[in-house]
């Protein structure tokens, strides 16, 4: 579903991604862990063109969506087609980014109606189904300011799912939440994993990674240092840098 080949990303003289090679299969849950500043979020944002890579190739669902060399495009695909492919990626951010002037229901309906031209009645039906899925149907007429952080993040997940993505990207979705609200968001993510959703999750929630991930990727200083099953990475890490990181946080 996702393939990165020799991906590099620089901001000026600072190289934040160094020769990243990664594949994610359909239905797989991959958790990306590592210290702050290791390039995890930049890698995730590169998948849907929120960041443009400096060099390398990115494939989404078997289709080449980015090919650059020294900052120059080599991609022979129209921007319109790239945008269409990127709609297959749903993304949930650290901050909820809900529209404050719209109700919960309107927030979930907006993208399908605007981007995919889904009729109002169909968008409303799907939005209500998704709010039931994340346990927030009774909040559909509330504005975001009247919701807790955990509730807002669950709305953000419903909003991403409303576009019917093939892949869900989560960029530290619980890092802005109070500790007692983390569990309700993780439960929704666990349910998605059980349903077979392909997911890449950048997270500091090691318990979630151990329980849900098919594969764990450890990044440091812009590189993938180690990857394997949760047992491989958490119980028998091969790299000294991985061992040092885990000893500090577990």
């Amino acid at each position: 579903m996702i393939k990165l080949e020799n991906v590099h990303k620089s901001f000026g003289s600072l190289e934040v991604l160094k020769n990243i090679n990664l594949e994610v299969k359909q239905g797989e849950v991959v958790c990306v862990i590592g210290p702050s500043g290791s390039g995890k979020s930049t890698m995730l944002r590169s998948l849907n063109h929120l960041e443009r890579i400096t060099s390398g190739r990115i494939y989404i669902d078997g289709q080449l969506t980015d090919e650059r060399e020294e900052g120059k495009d080599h991609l022979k695909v129209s921007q319109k087609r790239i945008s269409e492919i990127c709609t297959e990626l749903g993304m949930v951010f650290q901050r909820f980014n809900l529209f404050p002037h719209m109700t919960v229901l309107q927030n979930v309906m907006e993208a399908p109606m605007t981007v995919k031209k889904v009729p109002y009645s169909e968008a409303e039906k799907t939005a209500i189904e998704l709010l039931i899925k994340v346990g927030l149907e009774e909040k559909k007429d509330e504005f975001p300011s009247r919701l807790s952080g955990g509730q807002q993040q669950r709305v953000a997940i419903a909003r991403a799912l409303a576009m019917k993505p093939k892949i869900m990207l989560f960029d530290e979705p619980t890092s802005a939440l109070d500790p007692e609200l983390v569990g309700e968001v993780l439960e929704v993510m666990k349910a998605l994993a059980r349903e077979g959703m392909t997911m890449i999750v950048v997270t500091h929630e090691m318990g979630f990674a151990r329980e849900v991930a098919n594969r764990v990727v450890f990044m440091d200083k812009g590189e993938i240092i180690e990857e394997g099953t949760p047992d491989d990475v958490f119980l028998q890490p091969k790299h000294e840098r991985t061992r040092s990181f885990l000893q500090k946080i577990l």
Side-chain angles (χ1 to χ4, degrees), residues 150-169:
Q151 289 170 334
Q152 289 188 59
Q153 193 63 296
R154 284 188 280 154
V155 174
I157 293 173
R159 180 179 61 180
L161 291 171
M163 291 292 284
K164 299 184 178 177
K166 294 181 179 180
I167 302 157
M168 283 290 286
L169 310 176

Side-chain angles (χ1 to χ4, degrees), residues 3-190:
K3 185 177 182 180
L4 295 90
E5 288 183 349
N6 306 319
V7 168
H8 293 255
K9 170 65 179 176
S10 296
F11 293 105
S13 60
L14 178 64
E15 192 173 21
V16 293
L17 294 177
K18 306 172 186 176
N19 198 37
I20 297 293
N21 291 279
L22 181 67
E23 290 189 35
V24 180
K25 297 182 177 69
Q26 185 172 359
E28 197 172 21
V29 178
V30 174
C31 285
V32 185
I33 64 172
S36 298
S38 58
K40 306 184 301 295
S41 294
T42 300
M43 181 180 74
L44 208 64
R45 292 168 63 86
S46 297
L47 295 174
N48 56 11
H49 281 224
L50 291 177
E51 299 286 357
R52 294 300 307 278
I53 60 174
T54 304
S55 63
R57 295 184 184 88
I58 295 177
Y59 298 83
I60 305 295
D61 199 12
Q63 300 174 85
L64 187 63
T65 59
D66 218 347
E67 183 178 21
R68 288 165 71 85
E69 190 173 327
E70 296 180 357
K72 295 181 180 178
D73 269 317
H74 288 258
L75 194 62
K76 296 177 177 63
V77 180
S78 71
Q79 189 55 51
K80 182 174 183 287
R81 180 59 185 142
I82 297 297
S83 297
E84 289 172 355
I85 296 169
C86 284
T87 63
E88 297 178 358
L89 301 170
M91 188 157 185
V92 178
F93 300 87
Q94 296 178 33
R95 297 289 173 181
F96 328 119
N97 298 329
L98 300 177
F99 296 117
H101 62 290
M102 292 184 178
T103 65
V104 164
L105 185 65
Q106 290 168 335
N107 264 280
V108 179
M109 292 172 61
E110 179 67 14
M113 291 175 59
T114 303
V115 179
K116 291 191 169 183
K117 310 303 179 188
V118 173
Y120 183 96
S121 59
E122 183 182 336
E124 183 181 43
K125 179 175 180 289
T126 300
I128 290 172
E129 289 171 353
L130 289 170
L131 289 172
I132 292 170
K133 186 187 191 78
V134 300
L136 288 173
E137 183 194 11
E138 77 283 358
K139 300 290 186 182
K140 65 184 176 66
D141 297 319
E142 298 282 6
F143 288 92
S145 62
R146 295 181 60 85
L147 303 181
S148 70
Q151 289 170 334
Q152 289 188 59
Q153 193 63 296
R154 284 188 280 154
V155 174
I157 293 173
R159 180 179 61 180
L161 291 171
M163 291 292 284
K164 299 184 178 177
K166 294 181 179 180
I167 302 157
M168 283 290 286
L169 310 176
F170 293 88
D171 187 8
E172 298 186 22
T174 60
S175 65
L177 300 178
D178 292 334
E180 66 267 24
L181 302 177
V182 168
E184 64 190 61
V185 174
L186 293 181
E187 282 304 315
V188 172
M189 295 168 64
K190 289 175 185 177

